[in-house]
Amino acid sequence: MLEVTSLCKTYGDFEFGPVDLRVDDEVLSVLGPSGSGKTTLLSLIAGIVEPDVGSISLNGSRLDGRSLQERRTGLVFQDGALFPHMTARENIGYATTDQDRITDLASLLEITDILDRQPRTLSGGERQRVALARTLAADPDALLLDEPLSSLDAPIRRRLRGELHSLFDSLEIPVIYVTHDQRTAMALGDRTAIFRDGAIEQIGSPTTVVNRPATQFVARFTGNENLLEATVLEQDGDTAYLRVGDVDFRATTPEIEKTAVTICIHPSRVRLHAPDDAVDTPGENTVVGTIDDWLNEGDEYRVEISLDDAPATLTATIRPPTFDRLAIDAGSGVRITVPPGAVHVVG
Amino acid sequence: MQSHANATVERVDWLSVTFLLGAVLLCYYLLPLLSLVFSQSPGAIVRQLTDPNVVSAATTSLTASIASVTIATLFGLPLAYWIARTDGWAKTVVTAVVVLPLVLPPIVSGMVLLTVVGPNTFLGELAAANGFQFTRSVAGVVLAQTFVSSPFVVVTAKAAFESVDRSLEYASQSLGKSRLTTFRRVTLPLAWPGILAGITLAFARAIGEFGATIMLAYYPRTMPVQIWHSFTTLGLENAFPVAVILVGIAVTTLVVLNVLGTNPLE
């Protein structure tokens, strides 16, 4: 178990912390924009920089104050940081002299065929596989990864993401995976921590962070771009009645103490129907709107809709079949349904 | 397609232009050197080669240069590494101090050294009391050469160390390797071509060193001092063959350094 307590570090204008964190034998994905302190967290744990205040412990023993070499925290860099004057095999062999271990890791990471090549002749994905093999060869007690997939092409990134998921599962050590890519963070993390300005803004399961963002920042950063100002009309048990313009929404939520709130609805939870569709979705919020614009993002369409009865817009992400069936175009009307559980009160 | 071909032609032309401009400088380097070598009859050179004064000067030059470059490397590499891996004002100040001997006129370098190790200084008298002297000795030659040549090692090695990505060192250490192992197996091999260039420059500077040397140690004569001596006592014609020999020693050494220049520790 990796435990970070009241960790602080100041560099010039940038203040990191205080950060408290506990990572069991699980994958914590750390998500945040550039300069939010993600890499600093890894540098502090790995021992590249020493904290001003706070402590770091791994399996009960203190790490802070110890040198990098004593910490047993495996570090994987964005570009792999392979030693350019050594072959892939020599790179892995740098961490272990056990030839069987090298063979096993090479087979696990599917790099057996490239072991005798120099790093400069390897593709980005191959380099990362070798880097990971080298790190695992040292048999670390925790694994720290700094955006290892960020420089890869999308298809390779997707494939490696899938492989990493099962690899991390088998490791049974704390894994911290830093990324600025929401999809990678969601796909790999058992839990996700959102960093902002050197501190943790929210930590929780990927589902919680996406569907129940604690702040507007987290909402926006996890793709919840539908943030609407609403007035609380009434609360009845776990159902709240909220008004945006002349549109009423029902939300499933714990008790709200304020009367003016911000609600968010994830674009993937906004469903679109033809205006004349006999929508039979009892209990769902139904609103009508006009399509402003749409964007083809490859595997899905992003549709911007102005609500007819409120000064607000909603974004919906829909699959291509739905897009084709509804014959979406700018200016056409659309009926929108949103389940009450998808209406989240941010605060 | 047409425009693509044109672009290629244009690029090649620019390269040719740069080479032609550079070739002027190349000729300026090579012509005098070749003219010196070919103006001397082999007989004159062989005569000088057997002159005990020249042999002694060549021996002094080579011995002292090897010694001063060794000292420059032993102390210069750690300093270069320290500068490369340090940030802030200390780095700027130390780098400026290292560059100082490069900007001082050599004869002034010799004068400032005399104020520290000259016969009437504390260190000079201390050495004399122990039957040793810093001036008029090979030690003096080495001191003068080290002073003027070691900055080349430090400055060039510093740049070479800086070009080694720090994340490679972090990666090595996080794999459980000590700083020393990391330096020996990662940093040094990657910085080695740059370090070798620094050693080569320092050697060239040391073997040609004249200004600081005549202030500190006119005797035993090094090759440049011998050339000066031949020129002032016997005339320019008699200094030329000695110069050819010095050029020969310098060029040979540089070639040897570069041929043998694989990292001995890798």
Side-chain angles (χ1 to χ4, degrees):
Chain A
M1 183 188 69
L2 181 66
E3 199 163 14
V4 159
T5 313
S6 310
L7 205 60
C8 293
K9 177 77 188 174
T10 305
Y11 297 101
D13 291 345
F14 178 70
E15 281 182 30
F16 175 89
V19 166
D20 291 272
L21 203 57
R22 189 192 141 121
V23 189
D24 293 315
D25 294 346
E26 59 177 335
V27 181
L28 176 78
S29 56
V30 172
L31 182 66
S34 308
S36 60
K38 310 185 297 284
T39 300
T40 303
L41 174 71
L42 292 196
S43 301
L44 284 163
I45 296 173
I48 293 172
V49 289
E50 277 296 319
D52 298 333
V53 184
S55 68
I56 305 158
S57 69
L58 181 57
N59 300 330
S61 65
R62 285 283 286 266
L63 290 189
D64 45 294
R66 289 210 215 159
S67 68
L68 263 85
Q69 75 174 106
E70 298 168 320
R71 294 197 181 200
R72 301 186 56 81
T73 48
L75 196 52
V76 180
F77 290 88
Q78 189 170 354
D79 61 356
L82 294 181
F83 305 130
H85 57 305
M86 300 180 192
T87 62
R89 186 192 300 280
E90 287 164 347
N91 264 280
I92 304 169
Y94 190 83
T96 180
T97 49
D98 181 349
Q99 292 303 315
D100 293 341
R101 179 97 174 111
I102 298 177
T103 310
D104 289 349
L105 283 167
S107 125
L108 176 72
L109 287 152
E110 297 177 22
I111 48 173
T112 306
D113 296 344
I114 57 165
L115 279 180
D116 293 316
R117 283 167 55 185
Q118 295 286 334
R120 65 171 182 281
T121 68
L122 302 178
S123 71
E126 288 168 338
R127 268 201 288 271
Q128 287 303 0
R129 286 168 194 270
V130 176
L132 200 55
R134 183 180 69 180
T135 304
L136 294 178
D139 208 9
D141 290 338
L143 186 58
L144 312 171
L145 302 103
D146 190 2
E147 310 222 23
L149 305 184
S150 69
S151 60
L152 307 183
D153 295 336
I156 299 165
R157 182 163 60 221
R158 247 196 305 271
R159 177 155 173 234
L160 255 178
R161 198 154 62 195
E163 291 176 26
L164 285 181
H165 190 270
S166 37
L167 175 69
F168 292 160
D169 265 354
S170 67
L171 287 180
E172 297 183 342
I173 54 171
V175 177
I176 298 187
Y177 190 105
V178 159
T179 178
H180 65 268
D181 177 43
Q182 185 213 329
R183 286 178 188 228
T184 304
M186 300 302 140
L188 291 179
D190 296 312
R191 286 190 301 148
T192 297
I194 312 281
F195 265 72
R196 179 194 191 185
D197 298 336
I200 296 175
E201 187 93 347
Q202 185 175 3
I203 185 163
S205 74
T207 320
T208 307
V209 169
V210 172
N211 294 338
R212 295 272 176 257
T215 64
Q216 295 193 23
F217 174 83
V218 175
R220 285 205 192 86
F221 205 76
T222 53
N224 269 298
E225 57 223 272
N226 295 319
L227 288 164
L228 310 173
E229 300 304 322
T231 313
V232 182
L233 299 177
E234 190 189 338
Q235 178 127 20
D236 178 14
D238 63 355
T239 302
Y241 295 86
L242 307 149
R243 174 163 288 177
V244 177
D246 293 329
V247 180
D248 288 352
F249 283 98
R250 280 192 309 125
T252 310
T253 175
E255 192 164 344
I256 310 167
E257 287 171 1
K258 293 190 283 186
T259 51
V261 293
T262 302
I263 59 171
C264 81
I265 303 164
H266 198 276
S268 63
R269 308 292 299 274
V270 177
R271 270 175 273 177
L272 303 187
H273 314 269
D276 48 0
D277 254 3
V279 181
D280 185 22
T281 45
E284 294 213 352
N285 298 293
T286 305
V287 263
V288 287
T290 308
I291 292 165
D292 287 336
D293 206 358
W294 56 268
L295 190 64
N296 182 352
E297 293 194 329
D299 51 357
E300 63 186 17
Y301 284 85
R302 181 167 294 268
V303 185
E304 307 283 340
I305 308 136
S306 286
L307 302 189
D308 289 351
D309 301 318
T313 59
L314 277 181
T315 300
T317 47
I318 56 172
R319 310 289 299 169
T322 314
F323 183 87
D324 293 340
R325 181 166 53 75
L326 296 175
I328 298 280
D329 207 357
S332 56
V334 71
R335 187 174 291 273
I336 304 159
T337 58
V338 181
V343 180
H344 171 63
V345 178
V346 179
Chain B
M1 206 54 205
Q2 186 68 39
S3 66
H4 195 93
N6 282 343
T8 310
V9 168
E10 200 167 297
R11 188 161 55 88
V12 171
D13 277 347
W14 270 112
L15 262 185
S16 308
V17 170
T18 54
F19 179 72
L20 283 174
L21 287 171
V24 175
L25 208 52
L26 281 179
C27 291
Y28 187 57
Y29 298 150
L30 285 173
L31 269 180
L33 206 60
L34 293 173
S35 145
L36 168 71
V37 172
F38 289 116
S39 68
Q40 300 308 309
S41 70
I45 295 171
V46 170
R47 254 197 314 284
Q48 290 292 349
L49 270 175
T50 52
D51 180 337
N53 285 329
V54 174
V55 172
S56 155
T59 312
T60 305
S61 268
L62 264 179
T63 318
S65 299
I66 290 169
S68 57
V69 169
T70 306
I71 293 169
T73 306
L74 282 179
F75 293 96
L77 287 192
L79 181 59
Y81 186 77
W82 181 87
I83 298 173
R85 291 292 180 254
T86 303
D87 297 313
W89 62 269
K91 176 186 184 128
T92 316
V93 171
V94 172
T95 308
V97 173
V98 169
V99 176
L100 212 54
L102 291 179
V103 299
L104 284 185
I107 198 140
V108 177
S109 296
M111 289 162 71
V112 296
L113 284 176
L114 275 179
T115 64
V116 180
V117 298
N120 301 321
T121 63
F122 171 72
L123 283 177
E125 283 171 358
L126 190 69
N130 291 287
F132 182 79
Q133 51 187 10
F134 289 122
T135 53
R136 294 178 67 86
S137 67
V138 176
V141 176
V142 172
L143 284 177
Q145 288 182 345
T146 305
F147 190 80
V148 297
S149 68
S150 55
F152 287 96
V153 174
V154 181
V155 171
T156 318
K158 164 187 166 283
F161 286 136
E162 281 171 344
S163 73
V164 177
D165 191 344
R166 267 190 221 196
S167 63
L168 297 178
E169 295 181 344
Y170 296 144
S172 165
Q173 288 174 261
S174 78
L175 293 169
K177 305 297 179 194
S178 67
R179 269 179 174 263
L180 192 64
T181 304
T182 298
F183 182 79
R184 190 172 60 80
R185 293 188 59 190
V186 176
T187 317
L188 193 59
L190 292 172
W192 185 247
I195 294 169
L196 185 67
I199 291 175
T200 307
L201 283 173
F203 186 85
R205 182 71 186 83
I207 204 155
E209 162 49 35
F210 176 66
T213 312
I214 53 164
M215 297 301 285
L216 243 66
Y218 193 81
Y219 293 103
R221 282 186 207 135
T222 59
M223 284 298 273
V225 176
Q226 180 62 35
I227 292 168
W228 174 251
H229 176 79
S230 300
F231 168 59
T232 50
T233 56
L234 303 165
L236 190 58
E237 283 308 310
N238 285 290
F240 275 138
V242 191
V244 173
I245 294 166
L246 178 57
V247 169
I249 293 173
V251 171
T252 309
T253 316
L254 301 191
V255 169
V256 168
L257 262 181
N258 277 279
V259 169
L260 300 178
T262 47
N263 180 5
L265 300 173
E266 198 174 357

